[in-house]
Structures are given as structure tokens and as C-alpha cells.
Amino acid sequence: MQPKVQKVVIAGGGTAGWMAGAALAKMLGKNLQITLVESEEIGTVGVGEATIPTLHIFHRLLGIKEAEFMAATNATFKLGIAFEHWHDLDKHYIHSFGFLGKDCWACGFQHFWRRGVQLGVASQIGDYCVEHLAAREGRFAVLPNQDLNHAYHMDAGLYAKFLRQLAEQHGLKRIEGKIDQVLQHDDGRIKALQLQNGQLIEGDLFLDCTGFRGLLIEQTLHTGYDDWSHWLPCDSAVAVQTKTVSAPVAYTRSIAHDSGWQWRIPLQSRVGNGMVFCSKYWSDEFAKQKLLENLQGEPLMTPKVLKFRTGTRRKHWNKNVVAIGLSSGFLEPLESTSIHLIQRNIIRLLQMFPSYGIQPADIAEFNRQAQQEMENIRDFIILHYKQTERSDSPFWRYCQSMPVPESLQHRLDLFEQTGRVYKIGLELFGEASWLQVMIGQGLMPQQYHPIVDAMSQEELRDFLDKIKANVRKTVSGYPDVNDFIRHYCQTAVQ
């Protein structure tokens, strides 16, 4: 018989630690003793400020009210990501949330749109998506039964504080201190964390939220790491915050440079900026200078350099340790998936929580699902680098020519040859996402489904025009996004 899990210890705070702490305390706190150990002397990465719509699932689970969360975290709304200079220099597109046009039983909307492009009766594919047009025009509203698919730009440090308050309300105990030693049972399981002051924190289940160093999952259990840097060669980032100089837009900006890319994430009262780059081609100092030259607004801090290695831990759950956040692996923030992956491992753990003892079958299934999810997101991010017409630098020439995972190559071949896309099970990115990025990166299908030819040219034009007009009508009824945020958050504070 495996011992019951009654004591959960979370090693590390930050976004990962406090998301895990809040969820466990809220959902299972009555039956568990939950302790979080963190040190104010140890900084957090704290630059993950952009999210995707799946965060709504986590907030509903915890009963978090949107307006209150936004007021507390300096948040703005996000409807997608604008990719600038990715397909080629001076070519831009938006990957928006939401759905494209109307499908039929036999094929997706892209087949009707593709034929429309050939006939000259279709406009850009984003014109057939409410979120896409709203992002471009800076309009937004939260309305009953008519919500836009949206996410947030937020201050990650304030989000951790917001969740800490919730966690402690539900009984979580926070202990301040640095972990000096990790004690193990004879079979290798973690027994306790010993702090520098000598205090022992014993537990049955440990969550590793110690960031890239993976104090428990890697430094103690030596779990191993699958390196994906041959597909995702960027290995460094420099981040800085700036003053706001213009009204926030409702999308993240991703601006490609010759050896990496730059993000701009607008919050209510400041802007998050960063440069993700490959150290093979740029030094840290050059990247800092490049970022500072391309800022809009006065810097509020000294630029901070981060080093990383894209890839995944070979096991996200090993013995009695579950890795949450950066300790479980890292995929660069190109599609704002970091907080989503934190959330998924937390929810997966709640679904498989080992109340009556840790079972090998649970561990195996947890790891299978986590691995599959990481690989699906990995392929989607690689797509942005591989499918490009840029050849103006050694970095982009490498990305163009590099072999990619078979799973991604199959998707690219299938879409190019037939126009078909698909979603596997519960993977994160749906057909609309794959379509927008593949088309935005310059990949157009050679064919369309023959059922489209059942429509005459006039019927197809009318079909496309009606969808476009309905999208336009819907968006025109929304207020300015920043006017809405001010009213929304002010109401929450009152």
C-alpha cells in the first residue's frame, strides 16, 4: 500500500508556485496540509505577461472575477498576436483567437476562401473572424452570451500576489526561506526540504516550482531533459519595461529581427518588452542594444538577460515530485503558452490527485499527456521559423533549411497539397490557429475541396460577403477597447 498524500509541499513561488498553491488550496485544501516555501531573495523570471484564452478555465475553477483580476494585475485585453517581418521583411499578419468563417460537413472554411482568392472575390482571411477585425480596429466588449474569445496582458508579479491572497484565504501556509538541502527516502522519493535556518519541511507530494534550475525534479532526481534547440535555436532573452507612450492595442506584437524577435506587451500603465535571440549570432550586449534602439517609451529598469534551453523534462512527474512551470521544460514565449502549460499540469494533477497513494499508472498517464501536449505546442512554434521566405541572415537561412519533426512536416505537406488541417484530441491549437499561421507565413494550398464547386461564382461571392458583413457589423457595435477597460476595472475597484 502506498502512503496517503496528506502533506503537499510547493518549492518556489512566482507564477507557477502561486497558481499551483491557489488551485490546490481552493479545490483540495480542506483535506490537505499545503505549504509553499519561497525566498524573497530569489528573483523570479516574471516576464510572462501575455496569456491565451485557456486561462478562463483556470479562473472559473477558482471563482476569480475577471474585472477584479484585471484591476489587480494592471491587465489589458488580448485578441491575438501580430507577427511582423516573420513571413518576409515588411510582411505582417495577425494570429487571432476565435474561428474563421463557416465550415461545412465536408470541409473547412479555408476551402471556400481559397477558391474565392483564385476568383478574386475574397479578401484577407482575417476579415472573416470577429476577433481578428476587433484586434485591428481596437474594439472590445464583454457582453452576455456574446463574448469575444480573449486573453490578457498582465503583470506576472501582481498576478502572483493576487493568487497568494486567494491561496492563503483557503489555508495554504507560506514559509519564507532558502532551501539548503533536499532530503530523500531510501527509495529516492523526496522526504523533506531543509532550509538554511535548519527548519525541515516534510511532505508526501512535492511540486517543483523552482524555475529553470529544477531543484527537485532535476538536481535531486536527475530526471533528464530532451533538448529541442536544434529546432528552436533561440536560447536567450533580454527584457525591459517602458513607460506607455500610446493607447494599448488589443494584441501582442512579435517583431522578427535578423537573429531573433522582439515582443511588445501593453499593460494599462506600462509596456513589457523583450528580445528573444540566438547567442550563436548575437552577444548579450548586442541584443540589449538592439532592444533599446527599438523601444517605444522610456525604460523603467535595467534590461535583464535570461538564458534558457528549449525542450522538455523526460518526466514531468517523477516519484513524488511534479514539475510545474519552467522546471518541467521551456518553449519560448512566441505563442504565449508558458502560463497555459503551468495551468495544464496543475489541472492534470488535480484530475489525477493521488489521495490514496501515488500509483505508477497515474505517473505514466500524467507524463504521456504532458509529453504529447509539449510536442504539439513545439511543432506549432517551429512552424513560424521553418515556414518563412526570409533568407537575409544566417539565422533565417538555418531555420529555412533545418529538418523538422515528422509530425510537423506531415501537417505542412497535408495543407500545401490538399488544404486540409486537423486537430488531434485535446491539443491546444485548433484548425483556425494552424490556418492563420500557415497562410500568414506564406503557405497556400494547391487545391481546395471539390464540394466548393457546387457553388457558382456569384453564390460563392455572396457567401463570403455575408460572412464578412456580419463580422463588420458585430465589431462596429463594440466600444473602444481602452474606454471599456477603464470602465470595467473602475467598476471592479468601486
Side-chain angles (χ1 to χ4, degrees), residues 363-393:
I363 295 176
E365 181 59 20
F366 186 101
N367 287 326
R368 184 193 70 80
Q369 291 184 21
Q371 179 73 15
Q372 185 179 62
E373 189 155 29
M374 287 287 285
E375 289 176 357
N376 287 332
I377 296 173
R378 173 203 68 190
D379 285 3
F380 190 64
I381 296 175
I382 295 172
L383 163 64
H384 299 66
Y385 289 98
K386 174 65 175 178
Q387 187 59 46
T388 181
E389 294 179 15
R390 288 194 63 163
S391 57
D392 55 293
S393 69

Side-chain angles (χ1 to χ4, degrees), residues 314-455:
R314 289 182 181 147
K315 295 178 183 178
H316 289 219
W317 186 343
N318 188 4
K319 298 186 184 296
N320 64 337
V321 173
V322 179
I324 307 288
L326 299 177
S327 63
S328 70
F330 183 74
L331 291 169
E332 62 172 79
L334 186 58
E335 285 284 353
S336 310
T337 52
S338 294
I339 289 177
H340 167 81
L341 287 168
I342 292 171
Q343 169 185 322
R344 284 297 301 134
N345 270 5
I346 292 169
I347 292 177
R348 191 176 288 120
L349 177 62
L350 289 171
Q351 291 170 333
M352 302 181 183
F353 196 81
S355 299
Y356 301 102
I358 296 171
Q359 302 297 334
D362 272 341
I363 295 176
E365 181 59 20
F366 186 101
N367 287 326
R368 184 193 70 80
Q369 291 184 21
Q371 179 73 15
Q372 185 179 62
E373 189 155 29
M374 287 287 285
E375 289 176 357
N376 287 332
I377 296 173
R378 173 203 68 190
D379 285 3
F380 190 64
I381 296 175
I382 295 172
L383 163 64
H384 299 66
Y385 289 98
K386 174 65 175 178
Q387 187 59 46
T388 181
E389 294 179 15
R390 288 194 63 163
S391 57
D392 55 293
S393 69
F395 174 81
W396 288 108
R397 288 193 289 274
Y398 170 82
C399 293
Q400 262 194 344
S401 62
M402 67 181 177
V404 297
E406 290 183 9
S407 49
L408 173 57
Q409 192 61 56
H410 170 65
R411 288 184 191 261
L412 296 175
D413 293 342
L414 184 69
F415 182 68
E416 184 177 23
Q417 295 168 21
T418 70
R420 296 188 182 95
V421 292
Y422 61 90
K423 180 178 178 178
I424 303 173
L426 298 176
E427 70 173 306
L428 174 59
F429 292 105
E431 294 180 7
S433 291
W434 282 94
L435 282 170
Q436 289 182 81
V437 175
M438 287 192 289
I439 292 169
Q441 294 288 140
L443 186 63
M444 288 290 282
Q446 299 167 359
Q447 302 175 13
Y448 58 87
H449 195 284
I451 200 169
V452 175
D453 288 328
M455 284 184 174

Side-chain angles (χ1 to χ4, degrees), residues 58-82:
F58 187 74
H59 285 183
R60 282 197 296 269
L61 194 68
L62 271 62
I64 291 173
K65 295 180 180 179
E66 181 177 69
E68 292 179 3
F69 146 75
M70 292 187 69
T73 60
N74 198 20
T76 58
F77 290 110
K78 173 184 172 182
L79 293 170
I81 304 172

Side-chain angles (χ1 to χ4, degrees), residues 442-469:
L443 186 63
M444 288 290 282
Q446 299 167 359
Q447 302 175 13
Y448 58 87
H449 195 284
I451 200 169
V452 175
D453 288 328
M455 284 184 174
S456 67
Q457 181 171 337
E458 292 73 23
E459 288 171 331
L460 179 60
R461 183 199 302 271
D462 184 60
F463 172 71
L464 294 171
D465 285 350
K466 283 183 177 177
I467 296 173
K468 185 176 175 179

